[in-house]
Amino acid sequence: MRRLLKWVAGIIGALVGLVLVAMLALALLVDPNDYKEQITAQVKQQTGRELLIEGDIELSFFPWLGLELGRLELGNAEGFGPEPFASIEAAEARVKLLPLLRAAVEMDTIVLHGMALSLSRRADGVSNWDDLAGTAAAEPQPESKPARPASPALKSLAIGGINIRNASIEWNDEMAGQQASLRDFNLTSGAISFTRPIPLSVSGKLSATEPSIEGSFDLVTRLGLDLAQQRYRLDETRLTLQAAGKAIPGGEARLVLSSDLEADLERGTAGISDLVLEGMGLRLNADIQASNILAMPVASGTMKLVLTDPEGLSSVVTLPPELKQQALRGSIVDATFALDLGEAQSLSLAPLNLTAMGIELKASVEGQKIIDAPAFSGELASSEFVPRELMENAGIALPQMADPSAMTRAQLSSRFEAGLDRVALQGLKLQLDQSTLNGSASVRQFAAPLIRYELAMDEIDVDRYLPPAADEPVPAAPGAAGNAAAAELPLELLRSLDIDGTLKLGRVKVMNLRSDTIVTTLRAAKGQFRVNPLTANLYQGGYSGDLRFDVRSDTPLLGMDEKLSGVQAGPLLKDFLGKEYVTGKADLAAKMTARGIEPLAIRKSLNGNGSFNFAEGQVNGINIGHLIRQGYALYKGRPVPAEETRQTDFTDLKGSFTVKEGLVTTRDLTARSPLFRVDGKGTAHLLSEKLDMRLDTTVLSDIKSAAGDSADELKGVTIPITIKGRFSEPKFGVDVSSVLKAKLEAEVEKKKAEAEAEVQQRIDEEKKKLEEKAKDKLKDLLRF
């Protein structure tokens, strides 16, 4: 493209030079039109192309030495069609005659109207100007001649201006399949001087294919030229660009630029001051100073970008549809920068300030090797902001939270390092409401992220951020809940993660459970996640866990190995379930597996085993002594004892259990107290929440009622107690009468057996006595 522009500029210069040469050559001729044939023949000889001079050639002599040309056409290269390569509708140039005698040049406005240039390149790469370049290159070098005396230097040069009107350039590139054109090109300048600014206006229309685009430009400026010192200026510059087409985001765009520019080529410096660029809903203000501009530029300055019209920006940039665009109005990026494109390839943004959607972010950024291997470092800090409002403006719908004041205060600060495929945060501090998070985190290999972190949080009340408790929970519909939930998980992303990090928490409240000194380490690789160790102090005891989450298959697999040691069960259950169902010091252990992530799917597929041991506590909701006394009173026909507190004290309560597809089974439940010994077994279904338990309760001592009524008769009796119903409404059953009847019948049978044995014993004794008497009489008879 640079070569093309070079030739375009050369051709335009040659055309202007042709006009000047023709003017000087014909200045002394009376009728230059008589020499048209000689001129065209000379052009043909030098270029091999036809020159058509359709208009008249007019000369003037005094006080202006001038030349006016009508229409000219220069033919195209062979094989590029009949269209002319270049044409001019009219041209005019005049120079004052008398100042020439003083080595001064004073020219009137140079006029060039209707210039048209047609540039083409065939599919084989040959262009229609190659022959012109080849001719110039193949010209034989003239023999060296003695040097001529140097021409006297111009004492001054003054040109009344330049007037180029309705010029055009057509570019047809068959090799690239592209077409482009510059049409209606106009350039008008004021008097050209090296001592005073030159008013200049340039306009035109552009079009191209592949990509398809149509546009126009309009430039107004004041040009300052100091050729001797190689200093140039553009003051009061205003450039307007308009474009439309498929290549333009949003289909169309308009940009307006105003600025003052200066360049000192001798020193290699340049500057842009009071730059204002407006368009697409944005306004950019900048001041820039640069050095070494002819080699590896070094620049510094300030810039400020303001979003003035979100709708204008959305017309060229696709914004998320849920984003509240008006919340972006007035967003500002403000920075002081330094750029070095030399060996260091460095970039500094210090300070860098961002204000948007209610948050102010202050940062500093240092970049190295920003072209070859970009690497950035710096620090950032935000003002206090309201996350709830920020997310609402961003179109992120927050779920309803139990605490309406949650997500109303946040602040962030951190140091950072980043590259094309990595980012790391050091000294991270995030404050959210009453919680503070500190630590470090990093991500590498964004395509398959390697995540590392070391984080610590002082406290958090998770319940504030959870949905408020529903009056009546809505049961989930049965079905493939696990698969449906898994379908919502980004399984491919989860399988690509490589995580190794530790999170420490001071105090935590979640689902109304309170714990402290929590340490959790998460490791993940190839779709397998493991949280181990996971430890916490809670309710005067401790928790330890080993949790696994496997997403290698479409349905996630869960694994849990958890232990509670020395935990006070009463306060824990009261906080978690709202009631102290069991109190006492508890040790629990469970190893479980499940499939899916929905609660219903987990309960349905839950398998495993566990054990429990409670010491010196009580079971609330059932009073075994009262149940037995109540049944005993009914059996005896006595008044039913008054209702007593529903609790059963024990010295120890322990057992083990198995879980198969959500059905919990225990066969060795035991409980001990001074009054009872309980041996139990049964099932509890986690899906239907149905209970089916049997507690064989052996009375160890007299269980007197609160009124002092004795039930000593029950001592040593084993009474079955059944528990049916649902978790929320258990139903208890006890049958004392049948037990006592069985006991009485057993006693009667025992007495009967004892009586029969006593009678048999007496019979045996009498029989023995009779046998002994008979023996004695027989002996007496034998003596005689």
Side-chain angles (χ1 to χ4, degrees):
M1 191 65 185
R2 180 180 299 178
R3 183 182 177 191
L4 174 61
L5 294 176
K6 178 179 179 180
W7 282 109
V8 169
I11 291 168
I12 294 174
L15 291 172
V16 174
L18 180 62
V19 173
L20 295 176
V21 170
M23 180 192 70
L24 294 174
L26 299 176
L28 301 177
L29 299 177
V30 177
D31 188 358
N33 294 287
D34 293 339
Y35 296 89
K36 287 183 178 181
E37 293 183 3
Q38 289 89 330
I39 296 174
T40 57
Q42 186 66 24
V43 171
K44 177 71 172 178
Q45 180 182 350
Q46 295 295 322
T47 66
R49 304 191 184 205
E50 298 290 341
L51 175 65
L52 178 61
I53 305 176
E54 295 183 0
D56 291 335
I57 302 174
E58 297 183 5
L59 294 176
S60 60
F61 298 98
F62 190 83
W64 295 91
L65 180 61
L67 172 66
E68 293 183 22
L69 297 176
R71 178 172 175 77
L72 296 177
E73 285 187 6
L74 179 63
N76 217 331
E78 184 177 354
F80 286 90
E83 297 83 6
F85 175 74
S87 63
I88 299 174
E89 293 297 330
E92 179 181 347
R94 299 195 306 169
V95 58
K96 273 191 176 182
L97 188 58
L98 294 180
L100 292 175
L101 302 177
R102 304 191 302 268
V105 177
E106 295 182 18
M107 296 185 66
D108 198 0
T109 300
I110 299 173
V111 176
L112 187 62
H113 292 172
M115 185 195 75
L117 187 61
S118 178
L119 303 176
S120 300
R121 182 168 63 175
R122 294 196 307 242
D124 59 5
V126 177
S127 67
N128 65 344
W129 66 86
D130 286 346
D131 59 326
L132 298 179
T135 300
E139 285 183 355
Q141 296 297 320
E143 296 181 2
S144 59
K145 298 180 180 180
R148 295 180 180 179
S151 301
L154 288 178
K155 295 182 178 180
S156 65
L157 173 64
I159 301 175
I162 298 175
N163 185 343
I164 299 175
R165 191 169 62 208
N166 198 28
S168 65
I169 300 176
E170 299 289 338
W171 165 243
N172 182 22
D173 188 351
E174 295 180 357
M175 188 175 180
Q178 186 181 50
Q179 293 180 332
S181 67
L182 169 63
R183 295 172 286 106
D184 298 334
F185 178 79
N186 298 292
L187 185 150
T188 304
S189 75
I192 297 176
S193 170
F194 298 147
T195 59
R196 295 188 303 274
I198 305 167
L200 180 66
S201 64
V202 183
S203 63
K205 296 179 180 179
L206 296 166
S207 65
T209 62
E210 300 301 331
S212 176
I213 188 172
E214 294 280 344
S216 64
F217 61 91
D218 191 343
L219 171 66
V220 178
T221 187
R222 294 173 61 84
L223 174 63
L225 299 174
D226 186 345
L227 299 180
Q229 301 295 326
Q230 299 188 62
R231 295 176 182 173
Y232 308 92
R233 294 186 59 87
L234 290 176
D235 295 323
E236 301 176 17
T237 301
R238 181 180 177 86
L239 172 63
T240 302
L241 298 173
Q242 290 182 305
K246 296 181 180 179
I248 303 299
E252 60 179 356
R254 183 175 187 272
L255 295 175
V256 179
L257 180 147
S258 61
S259 179
D260 294 333
L261 300 91
E262 62 177 348
D264 188 331
L265 300 186
E266 185 174 324
R267 296 183 178 180
T269 62
I272 302 175
S273 59
D274 299 327
L275 170 67
V276 179
L277 176 60
E278 295 181 281
M280 300 182 293
L282 299 169
R283 183 179 72 246
L284 173 66
N285 296 80
D287 289 281
I288 305 171
Q289 296 296 321
S291 60
N292 202 30
I293 62 174
L294 300 180
M296 292 295 182
V298 176
S300 62
T302 61
M303 57 162 287
K304 182 177 182 181
L305 182 64
V306 182
L307 178 55
T308 57
D309 181 11
E311 293 182 359
L313 179 63
S314 66
S315 66
V316 294
V317 176
T318 301
L319 298 176
E322 62 274 10
L323 178 67
K324 292 185 177 179
Q325 296 182 8
Q326 292 307 313
L328 290 173
R329 186 181 297 276
S331 298
I332 299 173
V333 178
D334 188 358
T336 298
F337 68 90
L339 175 67
D340 185 349
L341 295 181
E343 183 178 352
Q345 299 178 19
S346 63
L347 171 66
S348 173
L349 297 171
L352 170 63
N353 302 318
L354 169 66
T355 303
M357 293 196 296
I359 183 172
E360 295 182 9
L361 188 65
K362 297 182 180 298
S364 62
V365 181
E366 299 292 334
Q368 301 293 328
K369 299 296 180 182
I370 61 175
I371 299 175
D372 296 337
F376 299 92
S377 63
E379 57 186 29
L380 57 87
S382 77
S383 62
E384 185 174 297
F385 61 97
V386 181
R388 185 180 292 270
E389 293 180 358
L390 178 64
M391 299 180 75
E392 180 181 351
N393 289 331
I396 301 174
L398 284 174
Q400 187 178 5
M401 297 182 181
D403 185 355
S405 65
M407 299 285 287
T408 56
R409 185 164 64 92
Q411 194 166 4
L412 171 70
S413 63
S414 180
R415 301 187 306 276
F416 66 87
E417 294 182 356
L420 293 178
D421 203 23
R422 63 181 177 85
V423 62
L425 301 178
Q426 299 288 340
L428 171 65
K429 182 178 182 181
L430 172 62
Q431 293 176 288
L432 176 63
D433 297 328
Q434 280 74 44
S435 304
T436 301
L437 178 71
N438 293 280
S440 61
S442 66
V443 181
R444 294 184 291 118
Q445 300 179 193
F446 296 152
L450 274 68
I451 302 173
R452 302 292 183 264
Y453 62 86
E454 291 286 339
L455 301 172
M457 179 176 283
D458 57 351
E459 62 176 325
I460 186 170
D461 183 351
V462 179
D463 291 342
R464 298 179 61 194
Y465 306 94
L466 297 178
D471 295 335
E472 293 185 6
V474 180
N483 288 333
E488 299 176 1
L489 289 174
L491 294 178
E492 291 303 321
L493 174 61
L494 292 175
R495 292 164 185 162
S496 70
L497 295 177
D498 186 315
I499 304 175
D500 189 348
T502 298
L503 172 63
K504 298 179 180 180
L505 299 166
R507 295 186 301 275
V508 177
K509 176 174 169 284
V510 56
M511 300 180 72
N512 209 40
L513 289 174
R514 293 164 171 81
S515 57
D516 61 77
T517 319
I518 300 171
V519 179
T520 171
T521 298
L522 170 63
R523 293 181 176 87
K526 299 179 180 180
Q528 298 184 81
F529 293 74
R530 185 179 184 185
V531 181
N532 181 55
L534 172 58
T535 61
N537 296 333
L538 69 167
Y539 299 93
Q540 302 179 38
Y543 165 86
S544 64
D546 184 356
L547 308 180
R548 298 172 185 265
F549 184 53
D550 191 336
V551 294
R552 288 177 295 176
S553 63
D554 291 339
T555 301
L557 302 179
L558 300 173
M560 297 157 278
D561 185 355
E562 301 178 279
K563 293 181 178 65
L564 285 173
S565 304
V567 173
Q568 291 299 319
L572 185 152
L573 292 173
K574 184 174 183 179
D575 285 346
F576 186 47
L577 300 176
K579 185 176 180 180
E580 293 185 344
Y581 290 96
V582 182
T583 67
K585 188 176 181 180
D587 295 316
L588 298 96
K591 290 183 178 181
M592 300 286 172
T593 63
R595 297 184 303 274
I597 60 171
E598 287 288 333
L600 178 62
I602 293 174
R603 291 198 300 269
K604 186 177 180 180
S605 61
L606 192 64
N607 291 280
N609 58 75
S611 62
F612 54 88
N613 188 353
F614 295 83
E616 300 300 336
Q618 61 189 31
V619 178
N620 293 311
I622 180 174
N623 188 326
I624 293 178
H626 177 70
L627 289 174
I628 295 174
R629 285 190 292 268
Q630 189 180 46
Y632 183 70
L634 292 173
Y635 169 71
K636 289 292 187 179
R638 299 173 182 173
V640 176
E643 185 71 27
E644 300 178 21
T645 301
R646 292 188 176 184
Q647 68 180 49
T648 299
D649 296 334
F650 60 82
T651 54
D652 68 81
L653 171 63
K654 60 185 178 181
S656 63
F657 60 89
T658 61
V659 184
K660 184 176 182 180
E661 304 298 334
L663 180 64
V664 182
T665 302
T666 181
R667 301 183 186 280
D668 59 358
L669 171 66
T670 62
R672 299 289 184 271
S673 78
L675 301 178
F676 308 103
R677 183 183 73 247
V678 178
D679 295 289
K681 62 182 179 180
T683 62
H685 205 289
L686 299 178
L687 285 172
S688 63
E689 297 187 349
K690 290 183 178 180
L691 293 166
D692 187 3
M693 298 288 296
R694 177 187 171 96
L695 306 177
D696 291 330
T697 306
T698 301
V699 180
L700 301 179
S701 63
D702 188 6
I703 49 174
K704 294 182 179 180
S705 67
D709 296 329
S710 175
D712 187 60
E713 185 180 356
L714 298 177
K715 185 176 180 180
V717 175
T718 298
I719 301 172
I721 298 175
T722 60
I723 305 175
K724 305 284 186 178
R726 305 177 70 87
F727 293 173
S728 57
E729 295 180 0
K731 297 178 181 179
F732 304 97
V734 59
D735 189 357
V736 176
S737 61
S738 63
V739 173
L740 292 178
K741 286 179 181 179
K743 179 182 179 184
L744 180 60
E745 291 174 355
E747 290 179 351
V748 170
E749 290 296 326
K750 180 179 179 182
K751 293 293 184 182
K752 182 179 177 181
E754 290 175 353
E756 290 177 348
E758 184 178 353
V759 170
Q760 185 64 42
Q761 182 179 1
R762 289 180 179 180
I763 292 173
D764 292 341
E765 290 175 353
E766 290 295 329
K767 183 177 179 181
K768 185 176 181 181
K769 289 178 179 181
L770 290 174
E771 289 177 350
E772 289 177 353
K773 288 181 178 181
K775 289 179 179 181
D776 291 339
K777 288 181 178 182
L778 182 59
K779 289 178 179 180
D780 292 339
L781 290 174
L782 291 174
R783 289 190 187 129
F784 295 104

